[in-house]
Amino acid sequence: MLRLHGHELSGNSAKVRLLLDLLGVPYEWVRVDLMKGEHKQPPFLALNPFGQVPVLEEGASVLSDAQAILYYLAARQGDGQWLPVDPYEQAKVVRWLSTAAGEVRQGPENARLFHRFGVKSLSIEHAQEKSSFILGQLDRHLSDRQWLELERPTIADIAVFPYIALAGEGGIDLTPYPNVLAWIRRIQALPGYAPIAGLDAELSL
Ligand SMILES: N[C@@H](CCC(=O)N[C@@H](CS)C(=O)NCC(=O)O)C(=O)O
C-alpha cells in the first residue's frame, strides 16, 4: 500500500493526490501538521531531510518532491498514458514539470504563500510579475490545444494545475486568461477528479 504524507492545503501534495485519484490507485493519507511544525521534527526529517511535503512511501522506497513522485507514479503504470515512453515526447512533458517547479512556483505559488499564509518575506511584486508572465504564456499555449502536450492529459497538466487553479488565493485574477480557465475546467471534469481544498469553491464563483 502506498502512503502519501501531505497536508490538505499543500498544492504540491494536491498534485500527487490528484494523480492517484485519476489513476484509481488506493493509498493511505498521512496528514503532516505543517502548522504545528511536524515536518521539521526528526520522524518526518528521516523521510525527507528537506522538511517538505509531499513524501510517498512504498515499502522501503521513499520519494519526495511532487514532480519526482508524479514521474514515478506515471512511469510505474507502464502504459505510457500519463508519461509517454518516446524520449522526445517525454521531454515535452518533463519541460512542464520544470515549469511547475520554476515559473509557477515563483509566480502563483509564492503569491498564495504571501496572501494565504502570510509569508511576508516574499516579494509580492515579483510573484505578481512572474504570475502574469506564466499565465500569459499558458493562455497562448492553450489557445489551440486542450492539454499542455500530446493532445491528452499527462503529468504535465497535473504538475501545473493546482497552483494555477489556486491563483485566486494569491490575489491573482484568472479572468483575463479564458483558455487557462477552460483547461482548469477540463481537468476538473476528468473521471476520478476529487475536489481540492480552497480550489473548487473559488472556481464555482
Ligand atoms: N520541490 C518540492 C517543494 C515542496 C514544498 O515546498 N512543500 C511545501 C508545502 S506545499 C512545504 O512542505 N513547505 C514547508 C517548508 O518548506 O518548510 C515539491 O515540488 O514537492
Side-chain angles (χ1 to χ4, degrees):
M1 172 69 99
L2 295 170
R3 280 161 66 87
L4 174 60
H5 302 253
H7 189 276
E8 64 277 8
L9 297 180
S10 150
N12 285 304
S13 303
K15 297 173 190 177
V16 180
R17 290 187 82 153
L18 177 54
L19 183 61
L20 287 165
D21 287 341
L22 294 173
L23 291 173
V25 171
Y27 63 96
E28 181 189 344
W29 171 251
V30 184
R31 184 175 189 268
V32 180
D33 196 336
L34 298 185
M35 309 311 160
K36 288 198 175 145
E38 197 184 336
H39 55 310
K40 304 299 180 194
Q41 299 304 313
F44 186 81
L45 291 173
L47 292 173
N48 179 9
F50 282 20
Q52 296 174 332
V53 292
V55 167
L56 186 79
E57 266 187 294
E58 187 176 32
S61 309
V62 182
L63 283 172
S64 48
D65 191 279
Q67 285 61 238
I69 297 169
L70 292 181
Y71 185 95
Y72 170 71
L73 289 172
R76 169 181 178 276
Q77 287 293 107
D79 57 7
Q81 190 190 341
W82 292 88
L83 175 71
V85 176
D86 174 78
Y88 179 68
E89 291 190 346
Q90 194 173 113
K92 292 253 179 202
V93 168
V94 169
R95 179 267 175 107
W96 292 105
L97 305 190
S98 256
T99 304
E103 288 81 355
V104 176
R105 184 169 176 105
Q106 293 155 13
E109 183 173 341
N110 281 348
R112 180 171 177 259
L113 279 176
F114 184 92
H115 282 298
R116 174 76 172 77
F117 298 102
V119 182
K120 301 297 179 193
S121 54
L122 288 165
S123 160
I124 187 61
E125 291 78 18
H126 187 251
Q128 285 164 343
E129 193 185 307
K130 291 284 180 183
S131 296
S132 301
F133 171 78
I134 191 57
L135 284 163
Q137 292 293 332
L138 280 172
D139 206 61
R140 259 190 303 280
H141 183 74
L142 288 164
S143 64
D144 61 355
R145 68 196 86 206
Q146 304 261 303
W147 306 101
L148 290 181
E149 296 296 340
L150 308 180
E151 296 174 12
R152 66 173 190 272
T154 66
I155 56 170
D157 302 279
I158 307 302
V160 172
F161 171 74
Y163 287 108
I164 295 295
L166 286 164
E169 291 198 342
I172 310 287
D173 180 15
L174 290 179
T175 49
Y177 309 105
N179 300 318
V180 171
L181 283 170
W183 167 78
I184 288 171
R185 296 205 172 93
R186 277 194 288 280
I187 294 178
Q188 290 175 310
L190 288 171
Y193 177 89
I196 294 174
L199 188 153
D200 293 270
E202 173 200 338
L203 286 168
S204 64
L205 289 175

